[in-house]
Amino acid sequence: MKWETVIGLETHVQLSTRSKIFSGASTAFGAPPNTQACAVDIALPGVLPVLNRGAVERAIRFGLAVGAEVRRRSVFARKNYFYPDLPKGYQISQFEAPIVQGGALRIVLADGAERAVRLTRAHLEEDAGKSLHEDFHGMSGIDLNRAGTPLLEIVSEPDMRSAAEAVAYARALHALVRWIDICDGNMQEGSFRCDANVSVRPRGAAALGTRCEIKNLNSFRFLERAIEYEARRQIAIIEDGGRIELETRLYDPDRDETRSMRTKEEAHDYRYFPEPDLLPLEVSEAWLAEVAASLPELPVARRERYVRDLGLPAQDAATLTASRETADYFEAVVAGLAEAEPGGERPAQAKAAANWVAGELAGALNRTGVEIGASPVAARALARLIARIRDDTISGKIAKEVFDAMWAGEAGGENAADAIIERRGLRQITDAGALERIIEEIVAANPAQVAEYRSGKEKAFNYFVGQAMKATKSKGNPAQVAEILKRKLAG
Amino acid sequence: MSLTLSEVMRIAALARIAVTPQEAEAVQAQLNGIFGLLEKINAVDTSGVEPMYHARDVTLRLRDDEVTEPDRRAAFQAVAPQVEAGLYLVPKVIE
């Protein structure tokens, strides 16, 4: 039987406020235990929550960015359960009337195809503290610094059909929350955490299978592997005549498997009820309009602009809009290139800029772990380098050498490329006479290869290209070299 | 609507309240008394009435996103049963 995997994601996005959602304690990461846990966070008797405007504003930003309904009036609720890192005995969350309802996230798949993943809702809630189960004489240690940190829980519809789609969704969401400045996106520090609801069904079936929720997916790679493992596990059980139990499972990256979290019976009865300590949250039209006006151009809009105005392929446009910093850098390169060659064709300039930003530059940033905002090669300097390839001063191959030198700081400023080309003598040989002489010598010195080529072995041609490049120290203009070689070898 | 004895035990377990079987019967009678009141409320025709989320018809006031709380760990932990390395210690919650 052919099986289909159905995936929905719940993502906890830590909102980038300075203070907590219901108290004035700091949310800064990495403070000594319990030094940022005030009376409200540790639930001393008599304290009351006061909602942080900054947390609400970030939720509104998200709602507007995904085209959702931002509720004019939303309500907080208590989610009841007992655990030592939740000192009140309940988490303040939203249940019946979340602040954000609906909306969709548009994702681009590996083949460039675009899809919309529908969102169910996004609601505000507080994070719990941390339990440390290590060595405290058989006891657990509780750090409540994280308790009360604002979270936006974003719930998708079960619209994804493969681990790859789920990863594309998670990446798009990660990019968006950073883009609109509501979350720092730091996955190591837990600022962006995914749970996946996974089920399988025979392909073509209308009804959904029983799902399992997988927790502890703190990287895109784990998300992908956990879903793949879980789908295989469920298919194997059903094919053996078994049934899937609705349960919560934990992904273990060391063993690359999911396993059942032993949850006590009835653990999932949270007995939600409206939070009596908080009045309904009202969002006025004026506030909504103010937040809407403060939003930057969104990734989807930029992506479409790159395809429409710059003629970029969809996949390139998606790569370049992975972060606002990357998109801004790319646009600065395009602007620099337009300035360097005013008469140039814009789509060709844009494509060259895209190739360099997503290729050589991204590679160097990855290798060195440098953020694009701190790139040692500035956008305008890269534009000048690309201009030198396009005006045939250097070949693409030599340009990589120049780029490496620029990266290493051999020359600075906007004209770093020109300085390095001159200093190293990398200017391409485009003098046809000079190239012809060099190639004639090579042809004369290699009669055996000439005979081979003339007998129909096309591969021998590459040998001559190699020799010509060697003789010109890679400075021969590749197109010219090929043209002259063809002529000379034809005999 | 009335609660069965096993529902009473379940609610007690969820609320972490130890209830003996003898006590459970008394609690069951009390809770069912409350349900009697709820049934009266339920009997009212509320069609067309907008749900009320809070008894007071005012909306939430918000605070600005500013850090206003100083570190008072020493004072808080002075009254905690057991602390170590800045952590509150509790009976182990994981096997």
Side-chain angles (χ1 to χ4, degrees):
Chain A
M1 190 184 295
K2 283 274 186 192
W3 294 93
E4 179 176 67
T5 309
V6 177
I7 306 149
L9 291 187
E10 291 173 20
T11 311
H12 286 92
V13 168
Q14 185 180 314
L15 299 175
S16 56
T17 53
R18 284 186 287 273
S19 64
K20 293 189 177 173
I21 185 166
F22 298 121
S23 82
S26 170
T27 55
F29 183 81
N34 293 306
T35 56
Q36 292 176 175
C38 71
V40 172
D41 307 324
I42 68 174
L44 289 189
V47 298
L48 286 171
V50 187
L51 184 57
N52 183 339
R53 183 190 313 278
V56 180
E57 195 212 308
R58 284 165 177 79
I60 298 172
R61 286 173 80 80
F62 179 77
L64 293 172
V66 295
E69 178 204 347
V70 176
R71 244 181 237 274
R72 300 302 186 275
R73 187 175 258 242
S74 70
V75 179
F76 286 91
R78 287 188 182 180
K79 177 180 179 178
N80 299 280
Y81 66 94
F82 288 103
Y83 207 74
D85 57 26
L86 185 76
K88 290 195 297 299
Y90 58 85
Q91 176 192 30
I92 303 180
S93 180
Q94 295 192 296
F95 187 60
E96 271 181 54
I99 182 159
V100 174
Q101 188 90 52
L105 190 66
R106 282 161 65 183
I107 62 171
V108 176
L109 303 173
D111 61 1
E114 200 174 303
R115 287 206 34 199
V117 174
R118 291 169 302 154
L119 302 179
T120 314
R121 57 187 276 156
H123 64 255
L124 284 164
E125 63 183 27
E126 59 180 339
D127 208 345
K130 259 186 187 154
S131 301
L132 300 143
H133 304 296
E134 295 98 70
D135 194 22
F136 295 105
H137 341 285
M139 301 185 83
S140 292
I142 306 296
D143 177 5
L144 296 173
N145 278 352
R146 202 180 63 187
T149 299
L151 300 176
L152 188 66
E153 180 175 336
I154 300 162
V155 183
S156 86
E157 292 287 306
D159 277 358
M160 290 151 280
R161 295 289 175 270
S162 68
E165 279 186 27
V167 170
Y169 165 84
R171 282 189 187 280
L173 186 61
H174 184 252
L176 179 66
V177 297
R178 290 176 61 218
W179 191 289
I180 60 174
D181 258 334
I182 65 168
C183 171
D184 67 17
N186 191 321
M187 295 179 87
Q188 283 82 41
E189 293 175 6
S191 300
F192 187 91
R193 319 193 284 264
C194 291
D195 298 337
N197 284 306
V198 180
S199 64
V200 297
R201 64 179 172 191
R203 188 155 290 172
L208 292 170
T210 305
R211 70 190 148 80
C212 290
E213 182 181 8
I214 315 170
K215 291 197 174 285
N216 195 30
L217 303 170
N218 57 8
S219 80
F220 297 124
R221 199 163 60 95
F222 292 168
L223 175 66
E224 182 162 28
R225 284 165 52 180
I227 291 170
E228 280 169 356
Y229 172 87
E230 182 59 20
R232 280 198 305 274
R233 186 188 74 88
Q234 293 185 11
I235 291 167
I237 288 175
I238 298 171
E239 288 187 340
D240 285 351
R243 278 183 45 199
I244 305 301
E245 298 286 334
L246 182 75
E247 63 176 355
T248 303
R249 299 178 69 83
L250 199 66
Y251 177 65
D252 180 345
D254 295 330
R255 296 179 176 191
D256 189 22
E257 63 179 28
T258 65
R259 60 166 182 268
S260 185
M261 278 172 81
R262 265 185 289 167
T263 44
K264 287 193 186 108
E265 248 181 286
E266 311 183 84
H268 276 297
D269 191 340
Y270 292 127
R271 295 153 293 143
Y272 283 95
F273 65 88
E275 164 62 275
D277 288 345
L278 290 166
L279 294 159
L281 165 63
E282 200 139 279
V283 176
S284 68
E285 292 294 334
W287 192 10
L288 214 54
E290 194 184 304
V291 175
S294 75
L295 277 180
E297 184 188 21
L298 296 172
V300 170
R302 276 218 198 180
R303 218 157 67 204
E304 287 175 348
R305 184 157 61 77
Y306 292 173
V307 173
R308 185 184 63 234
D309 296 353
L310 300 177
L312 286 185
Q315 194 52 45
D316 280 3
T319 306
L320 293 167
T321 50
S323 78
R324 206 157 118 195
E325 292 76 17
T326 305
D328 287 346
Y329 186 101
F330 164 72
E331 289 191 27
V333 175
V334 172
L337 209 44
E339 201 175 288
E341 37 174 272
E345 239 185 77
R346 218 148 137 73
Q349 290 174 339
K351 181 63 183 150
N355 288 348
W356 272 85
V357 173
E360 212 62 24
L361 178 75
L365 293 169
N366 271 341
R367 266 196 307 282
T368 51
V370 174
E371 294 289 329
I372 195 161
S375 166
V377 177
R380 294 179 69 86
L382 181 59
R384 296 291 172 102
L385 170 63
I386 298 169
R388 289 298 161 262
I389 309 167
R390 291 173 48 77
D391 69 10
D392 279 336
T393 306
I394 53 173
S395 66
K397 184 163 176 253
I398 291 289
K400 288 180 182 167
E401 179 187 333
V402 177
F403 177 83
D404 287 342
M406 288 165 72
W407 185 271
E410 196 176 301
E414 277 179 30
N415 295 315
D418 286 336
I420 291 164
I421 291 165
E422 288 314 316
R423 191 178 312 155
R424 292 194 177 191
L426 298 173
R427 201 170 269 279
Q428 202 160 230
I429 303 170
T430 49
D431 174 349
L435 285 175
E436 291 225 6
R437 276 194 299 282
I438 292 167
I439 288 167
E440 274 166 12
E441 277 170 34
I442 294 168
V443 170
N446 295 284
Q449 279 80 3
V450 174
E452 229 176 85
Y453 175 77
R454 287 181 181 159
S455 73
K457 288 201 175 152
E458 298 275 325
K459 272 190 186 165
F461 189 75
N462 293 335
Y463 170 81
F464 286 102
V465 172
Q467 289 299 304
M469 283 304 170
K470 202 169 148 194
T472 59
K473 297 194 177 70
S474 293
K475 289 186 291 186
N477 176 298
Q480 261 178 298
V481 167
E483 185 270 321
I484 297 168
L485 266 174
K486 281 222 170 90
R487 203 149 32 78
K488 299 288 174 196
L489 286 172
Chain B
M1 179 181 173
S2 66
L3 289 174
T4 64
L5 206 55
S6 73
E7 282 169 333
V8 171
M9 295 307 286
R10 180 177 134 83
I11 292 166
L14 284 169
R16 301 291 190 277
I17 298 173
V19 175
T20 65
Q22 293 77 20
E23 286 169 327
E25 283 181 30
V27 170
Q28 182 188 17
Q30 289 167 353
L31 286 176
N32 280 334
I34 295 171
F35 271 102
L37 296 174
L38 293 178
E39 264 163 34
K40 276 190 188 164
I41 297 172
N42 261 344
V44 179
D45 179 11
T46 57
S47 53
V49 178
E50 204 183 313
M52 184 181 75
Y53 289 113
H54 202 276
R56 296 192 57 197
D57 191 23
V58 284
T59 54
L60 201 53
R61 283 183 54 182
L62 305 176
R63 25 169 277 278
D64 288 336
D65 179 23
E66 274 160 24
V67 176
T68 52
E69 292 285 346
D71 169 21
R72 293 174 63 202
R73 182 176 79 178
F76 295 147
Q77 296 203 333
V79 293
Q82 214 174 334
V83 295
E84 188 175 313
L87 300 164
Y88 295 93
L89 295 194
V90 299
K92 199 154 191 139
V93 284
I94 197 171
E95 291 103 72

